Amino acid sequence: MSSDYSYDEQGQFYPFFIFTLTTIVTLPLTYSLLAPSKDATALAPRLKTTYRPEHADLVDAQRAAQKRKQRRVKRAIAVVLGWAVMAGMLYLILTTQQTVNKIWNPYDILGVSESANEKQIKSHYRKLGLKYHPDKIRPDPEKNETVESLNDKWVELTKAYQTLTDEEVRQNYIQYGHPDGKQSFSIGIALPKFIISEGNGKYVVLVYALLLGVLLPYYVGSWWYGTQRITKEGVLVESANNLFREYSESIDEGDLVTALSAGKEFQVPLKGDKAESGLSKIESRILAEGQIAAFAGGLAVKDKEKLEDLDSGVRRKVLALLWAYLGRVELDDQALDSAKYLVAPIAQSLCDSFRAISLAYGNIGPILTSFYTSQRLVQALPPKASPLFQLPHFTPPVVKAIEGDSKTHLTIQEFMDQPDSQRRSVAVGNGLLSEEQYKTAVNVAQQLPYLRVAKAFFKVTGERFIIPSSLVTLVVKGRFIPPGSLNVPEVDEVDLEDVDPAEDDLDALMGRKKTVKDANGKLVKDDNKPVPPPLTFAPYYSRDHSPRWHAFLSDSKQGKMAVPPFTFTAFDKPIFTDDGKPTYNVQTLRAQFAAPPQAGTYTFVLHVVCDSYVGFDTKMEVTLNVEDASKAAAMAAEDEISEPEEDSIAGQMNVLKGGPTPKPKRRKDDDDSEDDESGTEEEADSTSETNTDTEPES
């Protein structure tokens, strides 16, 4: 027995092979390209306003360029080529005539029925011999017959006859499927034969060398070294190292802006001649006398000294551009203005990396500084600038007219809480806002998603008490109340409850569904999908940015972080209606962590920080009561043991024995017991660095 390797000379099979391989690659790529985007910036609604700042065309151009980059043109090209190859192979499959190999059958070869007996077979064979024996027949050229073909046909007839009449030959046929016994087998390769034809072998070797020796190592190496160069926050490792060296417990926002300029990511857009071109012009503009600070760029004297201490180059220009961006300084040069808007998103990603470094140290000061700097990078505000600059058309004269000689800045909420007539009297006028500009600013303010915390408490799911090292859930209840909202409904106390799901409700326990109380107080499942907030109103930021809220606990006495931040990018109920009006729905934020290992009363500071708006943060004290495990068990047992009630059989028997008539006992409901939940219901402070007044929930 021997084996033979045969290539697909008729082109019957290699289209199937190539079609299958291409399909395996193309279909997943197509799905990833056409699947609905999960990016919050693509799904979130936008604030309704017609406001466009100066240089809006530059900002829009950079946003569009980023979106084109995210579309992944290379992937789209690969998908188009894949479908083209699949279409070509499918055409070959449908148009190529298929050759079907028949199974060797002696009855078909002789042309007799399988039910024929030996006598009939011999008679039929003699007739065929008179017609096809080589001595009786001559080749017919018109039928393309040759002597060899006629001899082969006769040999085939003879084999078929012997198979049906000779016992030994019949056994070969039964055992091996052929009268000659075991045959050689052929291994078919679904590739066209021309690739190994004489003279083509060297090209095949060249293709293999390119694929296995060049392309594969290149892509694997690129992927590997790429993962080694980038941190999980998406910045270069070298940049993270530079930020690590800049870390300080006393770092403030100005210091952090200087530290962010050390990122190596800036070297790509500012390479070559761009590294120093226009640097002197930028510095002269940002160091000019400012209207809201000592310098136009909003930097302090120490920040100016740090800028001047840097050598000329990429970092110094980046730092100058960052201050020009934060101070909204006009550079009167399209290339410089474009670069000014380009550096902000890069600095934002570096700020996230610095926050990760700060979280590792656990000091609350640098952590908050990273959040505040992030807010100002998104809103293009220098440190200590008024939050009112986030509103459209608000210039330094307008803000100065509103705030007067006050040493503390007004937040947008405080400004919008004033009566409309009072707001107009200080904001509208000659050299200030026009009536149309005032309406635009108020319209934007009334759409901003300000999360006002109504209640925060701790609990352990399914338990009445919190014991050491148990899995505690921090529950934060709040409503989105845009600044200037009128006729805000009172919060429903039922919405402030956090109902435990049933023990057998796996979906609710795993967080896939939420259990709430309806208007009648019955437990129902809330199947609403997460709702993203509107995109950040950031007209100077050259990216579409979805706001994020970060909730974490700190120890005010030690200045340390107690529970790391939990990030929330979507909420369980709609924030605005389809026509843009606030819903005032109570939103629920949950964060789980391990309780302290020892029993006691722990007071934490709860921070709820928005990374996109200045002055929209919350800071409040919360108390965690951790009961000793044995004490908690005893208290639970006491609750279960009670005197017999008057209307029970045990109570009536107690009266017959001369005992006192037991008074009906009122069961203590879990929902109205403050022992069940440790926390606070007092309203949060609005805690930007510029406002420490307490605002009651309304």
Side-chain angles (χ1 to χ4, degrees):
M1 181 186 68
S2 62
S3 60
D4 182 29
Y5 294 89
S6 62
Y7 282 78
D8 188 15
E9 298 184 18
Q10 289 79 27
Q12 298 182 74
F13 305 114
Y14 82 84
F16 289 93
F17 176 72
I18 297 178
F19 181 85
T20 303
L21 289 182
T22 309
T23 302
I24 292 173
V25 176
T26 304
L27 289 184
L29 284 178
T30 304
Y31 176 79
S32 66
L33 192 66
L34 301 180
S37 176
K38 296 181 181 179
D39 185 8
T41 59
L43 303 175
R46 296 177 180 271
L47 271 67
K48 299 177 181 179
T49 180
T50 58
Y51 173 71
R52 287 178 60 81
E54 189 177 7
H55 301 308
D57 55 335
L58 297 178
V59 176
D60 292 342
Q62 292 190 18
R63 287 177 179 173
Q66 178 65 16
K67 290 180 180 179
R68 287 195 299 270
K69 183 179 180 181
Q70 292 176 345
R71 287 175 190 153
R72 298 171 180 171
V73 178
K74 293 181 180 179
R75 180 175 298 182
I77 294 175
V79 167
V80 172
L81 292 177
W83 280 103
V85 172
M86 290 169 60
M89 294 301 103
L90 185 61
Y91 173 78
L92 291 177
I93 291 171
L94 296 176
T95 58
T96 302
Q97 184 176 1
Q98 303 296 318
T99 301
V100 180
N101 294 325
K102 290 185 177 182
I103 298 176
W104 196 88
N105 189 327
Y107 294 99
D108 291 342
I109 294 173
L110 290 176
V112 298
S113 173
E114 294 186 5
S115 61
N117 55 33
E118 187 173 347
K119 182 178 180 181
Q120 292 173 332
I121 293 172
K122 289 181 178 181
S123 173
H124 186 70
Y125 178 69
R126 284 195 294 269
K127 294 178 181 179
L128 292 176
L130 296 174
K131 183 178 180 180
Y132 293 106
H133 193 280
D135 295 337
K136 305 290 186 180
I137 191 172
R138 295 290 181 268
D140 187 356
E142 294 182 1
K143 297 181 181 180
N144 292 326
E145 294 178 346
T146 63
V147 175
E148 290 77 9
S149 63
L150 294 176
N151 289 337
D152 291 340
K153 184 175 181 61
W154 176 248
V155 171
E156 196 74 8
L157 290 172
T158 303
K159 285 183 179 180
Y161 172 72
Q162 291 176 347
T163 300
L164 299 178
T165 57
D166 187 283
E167 187 62 28
E168 182 179 353
V169 178
R170 179 189 289 272
Q171 289 301 320
N172 285 338
Y173 171 69
I174 293 173
Q175 185 174 358
Y176 302 110
H178 198 277
D180 294 335
K182 188 178 292 187
Q183 301 292 300
S184 63
F185 63 91
S186 175
I187 299 177
I189 300 176
L191 291 175
K193 192 174 182 179
F194 69 82
I195 68 172
I196 61 161
S197 299
E198 186 175 353
N200 293 340
K202 56 186 177 183
Y203 299 112
V204 175
V205 173
L206 179 61
V207 170
Y208 274 106
L210 289 175
L211 289 176
L212 301 179
V214 179
L215 292 180
L216 183 61
Y218 172 77
Y219 282 112
V220 172
S222 299
W223 168 79
W224 173 254
Y225 287 110
T227 57
Q228 298 300 307
R229 293 174 60 246
I230 304 294
T231 66
K232 64 179 182 180
E233 287 80 27
V235 303
L236 295 173
V237 172
E238 190 174 358
S239 299
N241 292 336
N242 292 339
L243 293 174
F244 177 79
R245 286 190 286 268
E246 298 283 345
Y247 176 84
S248 170
E249 292 185 13
S250 60
I251 192 170
D252 62 14
E253 296 170 44
D255 297 333
L256 182 52
V257 171
T258 302
L260 297 179
S261 64
K264 294 299 180 180
E265 286 81 355
F266 296 110
Q267 293 183 353
V268 175
L270 297 179
K271 60 183 177 182
D273 296 338
K274 297 180 181 179
E276 297 185 12
S277 61
L279 177 58
S280 58
K281 182 177 183 179
I282 301 172
E283 291 186 357
S284 64
R285 294 293 178 93
I286 64 175
L287 297 178
E289 184 178 356
Q291 294 179 294
I292 61 174
F295 302 105
L299 61 169
V301 175
K302 66 179 181 63
D303 301 321
K304 172 180 176 290
E305 294 174 352
K306 289 184 177 181
L307 173 64
E308 293 175 342
D309 288 342
L310 294 176
D311 295 330
S312 297
V314 173
R315 182 174 181 181
R316 182 162 179 167
K317 183 175 181 179
V318 167
L319 184 55
L321 287 171
L322 282 174
W323 286 118
Y325 168 78
L326 294 173
R328 303 180 186 177
V329 177
E330 175 57 48
L331 300 178
D332 294 327
D333 185 293
Q334 185 172 359
L336 294 179
D337 282 322
S338 179
K340 175 180 70 177
Y341 296 117
L342 182 64
V343 297
I346 302 176
Q348 176 72 296
S349 63
L350 292 168
C351 189
D352 292 340
S353 178
F354 179 83
R355 185 178 307 126
I357 296 172
S358 302
L359 290 172
Y361 280 98
N363 296 307
I364 196 65
I367 295 173
L368 291 174
T369 296
S370 68
F371 282 119
Y372 297 151
T373 304
S374 176
Q375 296 170 352
R376 295 183 178 277
L377 284 170
V378 172
Q379 293 296 335
L381 291 181
K384 300 181 180 180
S386 173
L388 295 179
F389 284 107
Q390 297 172 102
L391 297 177
H393 304 298
F394 271 53
T395 58
V398 175
V399 174
K400 185 172 179 59
I402 294 173
E403 295 183 341
D405 296 329
S406 175
K407 295 183 179 180
T408 59
H409 295 302
L410 286 178
T411 64
I412 296 178
Q413 303 91 283
E414 292 172 334
F415 173 69
M416 293 299 296
D417 284 344
Q418 298 175 1
D420 183 68
S421 58
Q422 182 179 346
R423 296 198 304 260
R424 288 177 182 271
S425 64
V426 295
V428 179
N430 187 23
L432 302 176
L433 297 179
S434 66
E435 187 66 27
E436 188 66 27
Q437 290 175 334
Y438 173 78
K439 291 181 179 179
T440 300
V442 170
N443 175 59
V444 169
Q446 291 176 341
Q447 299 180 70
L448 300 180
Y450 169 51
L451 179 63
R452 182 171 293 179
V453 176
K455 183 180 180 181
F457 55 91
F458 301 96
K459 61 176 289 186
V460 174
T461 303
E463 301 292 340
R464 292 192 58 193
F465 303 99
I466 299 174
I467 61 175
S469 301
S470 59
L471 185 61
V472 180
T473 300
L474 167 64
V475 182
V476 180
K477 297 279 187 175
R479 298 189 295 175
F480 281 99
I481 303 178
S485 297
L486 302 175
N487 302 320
V488 180
E490 293 291 331
V491 63
D492 191 342
E493 292 298 325
V494 175
D495 292 333
L496 296 181
E497 299 177 5
D498 193 66
V499 183
D500 289 339
E503 294 182 359
D504 58 348
D505 191 349
L506 184 59
D507 287 338
L509 290 172
M510 296 297 291
R512 291 189 287 266
K513 293 181 180 179
K514 193 178 69 165
T515 303
V516 296
K517 286 187 178 180
D518 61 8
N520 300 322
K522 295 181 179 180
L523 298 181
V524 295
K525 289 184 179 179
D526 185 3
D527 296 333
N528 291 331
K529 295 182 179 180
V531 179
L535 291 180
T536 304
F537 176 74
Y540 300 96
Y541 192 66
S542 60
R543 297 288 187 275
D544 285 335
H545 184 74
S546 182
R548 297 172 293 180
W549 281 261
H550 306 268
F552 57 98
L553 299 176
S554 67
D555 185 339
S556 59
K557 295 181 180 179
Q558 298 182 0
K560 292 285 188 177
M561 177 186 64
V563 176
F566 288 80
T567 303
F568 303 91
T569 58
F571 299 88
D572 48 5
K573 295 180 181 178
I575 301 172
F576 294 96
T577 61
D578 293 337
D579 57 356
K581 295 181 180 179
T583 61
Y584 304 116
N585 288 323
V586 174
Q587 310 288 351
T588 304
L589 311 181
R590 293 185 180 85
Q592 289 187 328
F593 62 96
Q598 297 178 349
T601 299
Y602 299 86
T603 300
F604 300 106
V605 177
L606 168 64
H607 301 266
V608 181
V609 181
C610 178
D611 71 344
S612 304
Y613 295 102
V614 179
F616 278 29
D617 309 328
T618 297
K619 180 180 179 181
M620 60 192 297
E621 284 192 351
V622 290
T623 303
L624 172 62
N625 294 320
V626 181
E627 302 288 351
D628 184 79
S630 58
K631 181 180 178 181
M635 294 172 66
E638 289 178 6
D639 289 342
E640 294 177 358
I641 301 175
S642 60
E643 294 181 0
E645 295 185 2
E646 182 180 9
D647 56 353
S648 67
I649 296 177
Q652 294 175 6
M653 292 183 66
N654 188 48
V655 172
L656 293 175
K657 292 178 180 179
T661 303
K663 298 179 180 180
K665 297 190 71 175
R666 180 177 176 271
R667 292 187 64 84
K668 203 171 189 181
D669 187 23
D670 290 347
D671 295 328
D672 53 23
S673 173
E674 291 186 358
D675 293 336
D676 300 347
E677 300 170 350
S678 59
T680 178
E681 294 187 24
E682 65 186 28
E683 176 50 44
D685 296 332
S686 179
T687 60
S688 69
E689 57 191 335
T690 57
N691 176 33
T692 58
D693 295 337
T694 301
E695 296 181 0
E697 167 69 300
S698 59

